């Protein structure tokens, strides 16, 4: 992530200021083991180094991913791992992309630790791709990915003892000491010894019996007593985020039937002043959700239901807990945030996923990681985020969207929230009234289980097939 860009401000932050954020590289991910696999499986990784010295200020593994198979491969499902020996047990590293044919904004880099360290590897750099990187047709490659990483302290690092380092590799060539994985299965390369393969999960395997929250949002109105009885609060208190002076109106949370399912609608409206602006939010009253799977089907909109377009609006699905003190390390937040008209320095449509470690409101400082795609996401989308002891992984419509490392894992339980709000009133200065809609079909949380998007869909289908509109077996606290 480029630390110079303006980061998305958290949907749950109750401050008005936003400025440049600081992103820290993650360490401590559990290894996804790998083994040798033939190029016939489709993916080939080519490597060269742009820093060939035994020691260097930064390591520069330049990579290409090539599709040697006969079918197109979505890059969002591909992970590439470069293995190295940390310079000390406490060493922290930062990733950067200098230039890439696919665009650095479409390339992610996170760090992890090997389950079975060797003399030449106890860490790895995992390269991933957002949906914006597209697909590789048969015979195509990604082109140059000019990547680099360095110690957070900028101390010199030793490369000569790194498993994946090839000092004589000054031109691109196939390199089996870098591995590639597609949807969890190893398809190229040989990992350091002792880190052999394991079978990826079968998406058809049913999840185990785990505490679960499921809500189909089958309510009559915001005053339906079942909303509170089922653990939800429709926000009415004032404050941020968003336009100063705006209110949060519970009456703007409504429910209607669509295609046989009850759908929740969040309306946000304004007439160009703080006093006329009404934001909307619904959240769980309890902070009892931590590791596991979170899922929802959400309809984003690019245009208002009525009135002129152009407002810098934020449409969200997220989890959050409270910031007990500036830069407190037990804060946590995990966001899907869609900006149909841009904002935070972005000129147009952008979807963010952001994992928060902590922040300070004044002066503004943030520790987070994010992934983004600059495209329209108007319409219905299946949103899934999974959290285990090693990483946070986001999916959109069944495809990986972003993975963030162990540095951003939650220390305390969180609430589950949906809200829609205006960043400011500068995007559309008109005083003509306008209203925006965000719709939500359902929400699901499965405690301490990482489910695939296919398993999520199967669970939701089972609940609906059984006529179950609400269940909450997640223990409090």
């Amino acid at each position: 992530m480029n630390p110079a860009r303006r980061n998305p401000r958290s949907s749950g932050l109750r401050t008005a200021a936003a400025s440049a954020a600081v992103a820290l590289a993650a360490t401590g991910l559990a290894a996804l083991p790998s083994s040798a696999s033939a190029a016939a499986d489709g993916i080939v990784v080519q490597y060269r180094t742009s820093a060939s010295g035994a020691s260097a200020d930064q390591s520069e593994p330049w990579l290409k991913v090539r599709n040697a198979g006969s079918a197109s491969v979505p890059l969002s499902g591909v992970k590439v791992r470069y293995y190295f020996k940390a310079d000390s047990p406490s060493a922290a590293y930062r990733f950067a992309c200098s230039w890439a044919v696919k665009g650095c904004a479409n390339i992610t880099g996170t760090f992890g630790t090997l389950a079975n360290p060797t003399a030449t590897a106890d860490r790895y750099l995992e390269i991933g791709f957002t949906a914006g990187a597209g697909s590789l047709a048969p015979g195509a490659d990604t082109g140059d990915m000019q990547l680099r990483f360095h110690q957070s302290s900028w101390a010199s690092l030793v490369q000569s003892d790194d498993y994946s380092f090839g000092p004589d590799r000054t031109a691109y060539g196939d390199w089996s000491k870098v591995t590639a994985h597609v949807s969890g299965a190893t398809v190229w390369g040989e990992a350091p010894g002792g880190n052999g393969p394991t079978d990826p999960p079968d998406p058809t395997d049913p999840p185990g019996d785990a505490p679960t929250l499921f809500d189909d949002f089958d309510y009559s109105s915001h005053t339906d007593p079942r909303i509170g009885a089922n653990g939800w609060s429709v926000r009415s208190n004032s404050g941020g985020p968003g336009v100063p002076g705006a209110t949060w109106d519970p009456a703007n949370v409504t429910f209607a039937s669509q295609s046989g399912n009850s759908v929740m609608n969040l309306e946000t409206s304004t007439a160009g002043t703080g006093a006329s602006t009404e934001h909307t939010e619904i959240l769980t009253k309890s902070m009892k959700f931590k590791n596991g799977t979170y899922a929802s089907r959400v309809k984003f909109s690019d245009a208002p239901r009525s009135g002129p377009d152009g407002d810098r609006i934020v449409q969200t699905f997220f989890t959050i807990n409270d910031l007990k003190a500036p830069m407190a390390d037990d804060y946590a937040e995990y966001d899907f945030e869609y900006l149909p008209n841009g904002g935070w320095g972005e000129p147009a449509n952008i979807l963010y996923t952001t994992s928060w470690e902590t922040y300070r409101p004044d002066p503004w400082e943030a520790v987070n990681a994010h992934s983004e795609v600059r495209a329209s996401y108007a319409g219905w989308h299946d949103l899934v985020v999974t959290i285990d002891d090693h990483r946070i992984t986001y999916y959109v419509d069944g495809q990986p969207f972003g993975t963030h490392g162990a540095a951003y894992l939650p220390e305390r339980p969180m609430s589950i929230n949906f809200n829609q709000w205006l960043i400011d009133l500068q995007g559309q200065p008109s005083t003509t009234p306008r209203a925006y809609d965000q719709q939500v079909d359902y929400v699901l949380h499965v405690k301490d289980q990482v489910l695939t998007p296919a398993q999520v869909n199967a669970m939701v289908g089972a609940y609906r097939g059984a006529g179950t509109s609400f269940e909450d077996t997640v223990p409090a606290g």
Side-chain angles (χ1 to χ4, degrees), residues 6-313:
R6 183 176 294 274
N7 278 298
R9 189 184 51 189
S10 148
S11 293
L13 298 188
R14 305 307 183 216
T15 63
S19 184
V22 178
L24 300 183
T27 59
L29 294 180
L32 179 68
S34 59
S35 68
S37 184
D41 284 330
I43 293 297
V44 175
V45 180
Q46 297 186 324
Y47 160 82
R48 62 159 292 192
T49 181
S50 184
S52 58
S55 298
D57 290 336
Q58 56 187 354
S59 184
E60 299 186 33
W62 292 12
L63 302 174
K64 288 183 182 180
V65 177
R66 180 166 60 89
N67 182 3
S70 58
S72 180
V73 176
L75 281 169
S76 60
V78 176
K79 303 289 186 184
V80 176
R81 291 187 174 179
Y82 178 96
Y83 302 88
F84 64 98
K85 181 76 171 178
D87 292 84
S88 71
S90 61
Y93 294 86
R94 294 192 179 189
F95 164 78
C97 172
S98 297
W99 185 81
V101 172
K102 289 290 184 180
C104 284
N106 293 318
I107 296 172
T108 63
T110 57
F111 295 93
T113 58
L114 286 177
N116 298 295
T118 71
T120 59
D122 56 11
R123 307 274 186 97
Y124 60 83
L125 167 64
E126 180 176 271
I127 302 302
F129 302 88
T130 71
S135 298
L136 284 183
D141 64 48
T142 59
D144 275 341
M145 294 187 290
Q146 298 180 8
L147 313 177
R148 55 192 172 88
F149 66 93
H150 58 85
Q151 292 200 65
S152 298
S153 65
W154 277 107
S156 179
L157 52 78
V158 176
Q159 299 190 100
S160 56
D161 60 356
D162 290 349
Y163 175 84
S164 295
F165 177 60
D168 58 344
R169 295 279 171 160
T170 56
Y172 278 113
D174 296 358
W175 191 237
S176 64
K177 289 189 173 184
V178 174
T179 60
H181 314 266
V182 176
S183 300
T186 304
V187 297
W188 172 263
E190 182 76 39
N195 294 277
T198 57
D199 292 331
D202 184 346
T204 63
D205 288 343
D209 184 15
T212 300
L213 166 70
F214 173 73
D215 200 330
D216 215 10
F217 293 115
D218 186 11
Y219 302 109
S220 59
S221 72
H222 74 282
T223 60
D224 190 325
R226 293 176 301 156
I227 292 178
N230 288 347
W232 294 99
S233 174
V234 182
R235 182 176 174 184
S236 60
N237 60 295
S238 62
V243 175
T247 58
W248 297 78
D249 189 351
N252 288 339
V253 178
T254 57
F255 302 89
S257 178
Q258 290 186 13
S259 303
N261 292 325
S262 178
V263 172
M264 177 172 65
N265 189 78
L266 308 182
E267 177 189 296
T268 293
S269 60
T270 188
T273 65
S276 67
T277 301
E278 295 180 355
H279 296 152
T280 316
E281 181 168 25
I282 185 169
L283 64 154
T284 60
K285 293 185 284 188
S286 175
M287 291 186 184
K288 63 177 184 177
F289 308 98
K290 194 180 176 190
N291 286 16
T293 299
Y294 300 81
S296 185
R297 183 164 173 80
V298 177
K299 186 178 183 180
F300 297 128
S301 57
D302 279 352
R305 186 183 70 247
S306 61
D309 195 4
D311 289 293
R312 296 168 180 167
I313 198 162

